[in-house]
Amino acid sequence: MNQVTARSRPRQDGPEVALAGMLAAQGLYDAVRADPAAPLSISVVGPGGSGKSALLAALREAYLAAGVTVVGMDPALSGSMQAPDVGNVAVLVDDAHDLDSSDLGRMCRFALTGNMRIVVAYRPWPRKPELDALENVVSRQQPPVLLGRLNRRGTQLRCAALLGQAPPAALVELLCEQTGGSPMLIDQVLRALRSAGRLDGDHPELPPDVIDRIGYDLDRLPRPLRGLLLAVALGAAPDPEILAPVLGVDPSVIAELWSSAQSHGLLLAEGQLIPLIQRALVAGAAPGARRVMQRLVLDAHVQRGRPALELAQQLLVSGARGAELAAIFEAAGDAALAGSAPGAPAGTDAAAQALQLYAKAVCAGSDPASLAPRRAEAAARSGDLDTALRLADEALSHPHCADLARAGTVAGAVLAQRGLLARSAELYRWIGPSRMGSAAPLAALALLGTGSLTDAREVLAAANDDRPPTLVAGAEMLMASGVLQSIVDSPTSAPTTALSTLTRAAALLEPGGDAVLLPDMPAALAAIVALHSGELDVAVSVLERALEHGAGGLFARSRYQLLLAWAAMIRGDAALTRRWLERAVPDSGAQEPREELFATALAVGLARRGSDIPALQTAWVAAREAIVRYPVDLFSLLPLGELAVAAARLREFDRVVPHLEQARLLLQRLGDPPLWSVPLHWYGLHAAILREQPAVAQDHAVALAGAAKSSHYAAVLAAAGRAWMQVLAGDFDCSEVESAARGMQSIGLANDGSRLAGQAAIRTTDRKAMVDLLGCARALQASGPGAASSAADGGDDRLEPQTTSQPAVAPMLSDREREVAELILTGLTYRQIGQRLFISAKTVEHHVARIRQRLDVTSRDELFAQLKMVVRAKAS
């Protein structure tokens, strides 16, 4: 970063510095300096502080240096005006808008004499007929030079010229923000900062004497104009209907005063005050006058029914204070939270703005207890769950809280995300009979998640029927009904009916679901049911729609992204999984327990499927903490199953046994619904295989076979489970194994099918069967990552398929060769491998040579690619 040191000095080359950054002015100056004898007739127009006087001073210097006589609007010029030859005279007139009619007429007649040099500068207001006539005459040859505000580049150039070196970026940012690009204000701020020695640093601040200096200049303005400026500085809308009663004048007077303010260069292009001007006005006003003006401004807005949010935004910018502002800030917060007011932002931005406005209302005197539920909702929707839970708890513990339902809903939603579904259910039920109609479906949903089927049915049965038929109410009831159907309906119809109900619930929230807080979103529940049923395309579709419509806002976004990552992982698309996973993790790295459980399980699953033992060990450390922080519920069985397989692979299965037992008991209380229990049995089968517990594996296979009668998904997994048991026993029919492997492709598990076929190929002694199984494995792996997600999250989350080619499944290796292969992939040397296996390094080298021969590879990269396939098949 360039720094302005104490030794920096402004350049002393006059006009070049005075006109720095003002491209139009520099162009005119350069033309005059290049040919001062050339005829010139031009006007210069710009508001106060835009550099008109600096330009005329520079032109004067250029003409004098060329020996040209320079005159202004002076009585001594009257004789020259009558002369036909004015070749050696340049007329430079500043502030022509202040000349009277006779002087303007005299200037106009002089300009009509022809071959001459005349430059007339003036502000765009007031406009006199004589000034218009003069402009028409002077601008016959070329259009006026228009001066105005400097853009960022112009500000940077002006700073560099005034300081003698490139300015720090933070200084340019400060000037652009505070001065509105006014050259005069830029110069004043730079002089003050240089004088105070405060040009360096990443966060330069305005010295107080700058505000004082500008305030002194503003005090010299006409009193009516100062009144208008102060009213706007204190939040008055730039509208004659508002300003006229505030100032006690006719609306036509407001129009003239506004034009005067623009002509003085005190306003931005959008009609707002330049921030530096606003600060000086508020700081310079007497406290009593400021309070009176602020009261008048508020009354005018309220009486004319102006939107509270619009007024509050202006008050925030102005820095207005006072107890009378509390009601305005509170009403504006309500409007922002509802998203119904003109100018209200959407989604997370609206919630964050509401939270800020509510905080201002409390500071201004609003009752913190009455605002706590609304502040809690705003905090939750803006992503600050700690604050949301704290505020909701304060409201719930207050004896006179008038909005318990809102507080309970917020707390219930946040607690659900943190894995406390039982507590969430208690809150929804506690809200009270008078409000139970709106909370009953949410209570039932939370109860179902904890395995309390009987209680959930009782709550739904007791729900009031007189609830308003809103979209949110409909979505809540459909959510509870859909999950209930997935549990109690017949295994044959449960997946279809539950998915249909839950996707309809998700569709109801699409028009405005970014403003709703629920224990879980219907799109997420539909996706989880779809994943439990092998309907990966349905899961991806419903999640992408939810992301596209922003259902649930920031509160639910990472939930959708993690479930999309899960679908991609099941398909075998590791690249897409990682991309969704990266988007789901916030910049801070901190996640809520529910999201943390899914994220760590995804990291474990990726490492396990890639046979990356070091990565698996690293991911497992984080997963052990996540699984402890999040109690088992119905909607977390997928990550639990994935972690169980990883724990078995790492010989730490005892760590997940209590959680698996909790899951077993939960499913037992629900009647062991096949839709929810089948995937956990599939994971359990693999964990038992890795732990070399054939009896346990057989129990899971039997459970899968029992569910196969009524579910295609369970039937495919049952066939695959039976095939795995036969393959591991060394007694299998190759055609049955191939059929089971190809069946897994039909439920989106092509990569799992590939591993099954590959494992069978490794173990068979039949050469023809091995070739057939290898061909099956290669075909399934080539089709592994199916339809990839293309959802848009924000503007840059549109994801395209990224299918990477995988090495073919390896031919048969001996047990010892597979052990060597696993250790090679961990990065150990031959000597270290020998120490692990109690053999010599030379023997390891011989094993590697035989492995190369069997795999028909020559390069190291090819060897590693094939070894990963071998180890992956074994790990499965």
Side-chain angles (χ1 to χ4, degrees):
M1 180 183 71
N2 293 318
Q3 291 189 337
V4 181
T5 65
R7 295 184 178 180
S8 300
R9 293 291 184 269
R11 292 168 53 184
Q12 301 297 323
D13 45 1
E16 288 78 4
V17 174
L19 304 181
M22 302 159 53
L23 299 183
Q26 286 177 326
L28 178 58
Y29 171 71
D30 291 341
V32 169
R33 194 169 60 166
D35 187 6
L40 178 65
S41 178
I42 195 168
S43 58
V44 178
V45 185
S50 61
K52 300 185 300 298
S53 297
L55 174 57
L56 291 185
L59 295 178
R60 174 185 176 87
E61 188 173 317
Y63 278 126
L64 290 175
V68 177
T69 300
V70 178
V71 296
M73 193 58 226
D74 189 281
L77 183 61
S78 57
S80 301
M81 286 185 176
Q82 308 302 322
D85 182 12
V86 290
N88 199 40
V89 174
V91 180
L92 307 180
V93 180
D94 199 1
D95 293 333
H97 55 276
D98 288 335
L99 296 178
D100 59 28
S101 299
S102 61
D103 286 337
L104 288 172
R106 197 150 51 95
M107 285 293 301
C108 186
R109 291 191 298 274
F110 176 62
L112 288 169
T113 58
N115 188 22
M116 54 168 299
R117 282 158 291 194
I118 180 171
V119 181
V120 181
Y122 48 89
R123 294 180 180 178
W125 188 92
R127 300 292 298 189
K128 302 175 183 176
E130 294 81 4
L131 183 58
D132 290 336
L134 176 61
E135 182 180 72
N136 292 334
V137 173
V138 173
S139 301
R140 286 180 302 179
Q141 298 178 1
Q142 53 185 313
V145 172
L146 301 179
L147 301 182
R149 313 198 180 284
L150 304 185
N151 57 21
R152 184 181 183 84
R153 177 59 178 163
T155 302
Q156 191 173 27
L157 292 173
R158 191 165 188 84
C159 287
L162 291 170
L163 300 175
Q165 67 181 71
L171 175 60
V172 176
E173 188 68 30
L174 173 72
L175 293 171
C176 291
E177 176 185 326
Q178 291 295 321
T179 69
S182 167
M184 178 188 69
L185 295 178
I186 290 172
D187 294 353
Q188 288 190 18
V189 172
L190 283 176
R191 284 195 296 268
L193 287 173
R194 186 172 57 233
S195 176
R198 298 168 62 177
L199 290 166
D200 294 341
D202 294 331
H203 303 286
E205 297 181 358
L206 293 173
D209 57 333
V210 174
I211 306 296
D212 295 340
R213 176 73 243 183
I214 295 173
Y216 173 78
D217 294 337
L218 292 171
D219 286 342
R220 299 163 62 188
L221 295 174
R223 184 182 181 88
L225 178 56
R226 290 203 315 273
L228 177 136
L229 294 174
L230 180 59
V232 174
L234 292 174
D239 185 337
E241 291 187 359
I242 297 293
L243 291 170
V246 169
L247 300 179
V249 297
D250 190 85
S252 61
V253 176
I254 297 297
E256 288 193 8
L257 291 175
W258 194 258
S259 297
S260 178
Q262 290 176 317
S263 182
H264 277 81
L266 305 175
L267 304 176
L268 297 172
E270 302 82 8
Q272 301 169 326
L273 281 171
I274 293 174
L276 192 52
I277 299 296
Q278 183 174 26
R279 292 178 62 175
L281 283 164
V282 175
R290 188 167 59 236
R291 283 194 294 270
V292 170
M293 181 65 76
Q294 188 171 282
R295 181 72 263 172
L296 290 171
V297 168
L298 289 177
D299 289 344
H301 278 81
V302 172
Q303 289 173 7
R304 280 154 184 78
R306 299 301 292 265
L309 182 57
E310 176 185 300
L311 173 58
Q313 288 170 334
Q314 294 166 343
L315 293 172
L316 286 174
V317 173
S318 70
R321 292 172 294 177
E324 65 272 15
L325 302 182
I328 297 294
F329 285 133
E330 187 172 334
D334 292 343
L337 195 61
S340 60
T348 304
D349 292 338
Q353 185 182 42
L355 190 61
Q356 179 191 22
L357 289 166
Y358 287 142
K360 288 287 186 181
V362 171
C363 291
S366 289
D367 179 24
S370 66
L371 273 181
R374 283 173 281 174
R375 294 176 68 192
E377 180 181 346
R381 284 170 49 188
S382 62
D384 188 355
L385 300 192
D386 287 336
T387 299
L389 199 55
R390 175 179 59 80
L391 290 168
D393 194 61
E394 288 178 7
L396 291 170
S397 61
H398 198 279
H400 304 296
C401 180
D403 204 356
L404 284 177
R406 188 193 298 262
T409 299
V410 172
V414 175
L415 290 173
Q417 195 171 76
R418 295 189 166 180
L420 301 174
L421 268 182
R423 177 60 178 158
S424 179
E426 289 179 14
L427 275 168
Y428 288 129
R429 300 182 75 174
W430 177 84
I431 286 175
S434 63
R435 303 181 182 89
M436 200 59 214
S438 61
L442 303 182
L445 180 64
L447 289 167
L448 291 172
T450 59
S452 302
L453 178 59
T454 301
D455 289 346
R457 283 174 156 166
E458 290 177 356
V459 166
L460 284 176
N464 296 333
D465 295 328
D466 57 350
R467 295 191 305 151
T470 64
L471 293 177
V472 175
E476 290 173 355
M477 183 58 75
L478 287 174
M479 284 171 63
S481 300
V483 174
L484 184 62
Q485 290 166 349
S486 73
I487 295 170
V488 302
D489 280 13
S490 69
T492 304
S493 62
T496 302
T497 55
L499 271 178
S500 175
T501 302
L502 290 171
T503 51
R504 282 187 284 128
L508 284 178
L509 293 185
E510 288 177 359
D514 61 329
V516 66
L517 286 177
L518 300 171
D520 211 337
M521 298 303 295
L525 295 175
I528 290 174
V529 169
L531 290 171
H532 275 260
S533 311
E535 299 288 351
L536 300 188
D537 289 338
V538 175
V540 171
S541 174
V542 71
L543 290 169
E544 287 181 343
R545 284 184 63 89
L547 272 179
E548 180 182 352
H549 290 87
L554 184 63
F555 191 76
R557 184 185 305 164
S558 60
R559 176 74 157 158
Y560 300 144
Q561 292 167 330
L562 289 169
L563 290 172
L564 281 165
W566 199 276
M569 182 179 73
I570 296 301
R571 290 188 190 277
D573 195 336
L576 185 54
T577 303
R578 289 189 178 91
R579 291 168 68 181
W580 277 123
L581 185 55
E582 289 171 0
R583 283 161 173 76
V585 178
D587 295 336
S588 64
Q591 292 178 292
E592 292 301 317
R594 183 174 66 189
E595 276 61 50
E596 182 186 24
L597 177 66
F598 272 84
T600 55
L602 282 164
V604 164
L606 285 172
R608 182 176 70 84
R609 286 165 174 77
S611 300
D612 190 340
I613 302 301
L616 179 58
Q617 292 171 334
T618 301
W620 174 245
V621 173
R624 286 187 325 209
E625 298 180 10
I627 199 173
V628 169
R629 292 181 62 197
Y630 192 88
V632 173
D633 63 41
L634 185 65
F635 312 120
S636 64
L637 299 181
L638 291 176
L640 176 61
E642 184 62 49
L643 295 179
V645 178
R649 180 74 180 84
L650 296 172
R651 300 181 181 179
E652 294 194 31
F653 193 74
D654 289 345
R655 292 184 179 273
V656 299
V657 168
H659 305 284
L660 291 172
E661 178 62 15
Q662 292 175 24
R664 186 188 69 79
L665 293 174
L666 184 150
L667 289 170
Q668 188 179 72
R669 291 196 300 272
L670 294 174
D672 284 317
L675 186 148
W676 296 99
S677 61
V678 163
L680 199 58
H681 283 302
W682 175 248
Y683 282 117
L685 172 68
H686 282 277
I689 291 172
L690 289 170
R691 298 181 67 218
E692 299 180 355
Q693 293 182 325
V696 176
Q698 183 62 34
D699 289 342
H700 288 295
V702 170
L704 290 172
K709 301 174 184 178
S710 54
S711 166
H712 171 69
Y713 181 67
V716 171
L717 293 183
R722 184 169 55 252
W724 270 112
M725 297 298 297
Q726 294 172 351
V727 167
L728 293 175
D731 182 16
F732 58 91
D733 183 285
C734 293
S735 61
E736 289 185 7
V737 171
E738 182 175 346
S739 175
R742 293 190 182 278
M744 298 189 75
Q745 183 182 21
S746 68
I747 58 173
L749 300 176
N751 276 264
D752 283 3
S754 174
R755 286 193 291 272
L756 172 59
Q759 182 68 20
I762 291 173
R763 292 177 175 271
T764 185
T765 57
D766 186 328
R767 179 70 182 178
K768 182 179 182 304
M770 182 185 72
V771 171
D772 291 343
L773 288 168
L774 286 174
C776 174
R778 293 189 186 99
L780 291 176
Q781 196 162 63
S783 64
S789 170
S790 60
D793 176 27
D796 59 351
D797 276 352
R798 223 167 260 287
L799 302 179
E800 300 299 332
Q802 291 194 354
T803 305
T804 55
S805 61
Q806 300 287 343
V809 177
M812 182 176 60
L813 299 179
S814 68
D815 290 341
R816 176 63 81 185
E817 287 166 352
R818 284 198 297 271
E819 288 178 328
V820 171
E822 289 184 11
L823 294 174
I824 287 174
L825 290 174
T826 64
L828 297 179
T829 65
Y830 289 172
R831 180 180 298 277
Q832 291 169 326
I833 294 173
Q835 291 173 348
R836 292 278 187 95
L837 301 179
F838 303 100
I839 58 179
S840 68
K842 194 68 174 176
T843 302
V844 174
E845 185 177 351
H846 288 316
H847 281 307
V848 173
R850 284 197 296 271
I851 291 172
R852 286 180 181 271
Q853 183 178 5
R854 289 178 185 274
L855 300 182
D856 191 26
V857 296
T858 55
S859 71
R860 178 181 174 84
D861 290 343
E862 290 177 330
L863 174 64
F864 269 69
Q866 292 282 13
L867 289 182
K868 285 182 179 180
M869 179 59 68
V870 173
V871 175
R872 185 181 297 117
K874 180 176 183 294
S876 301

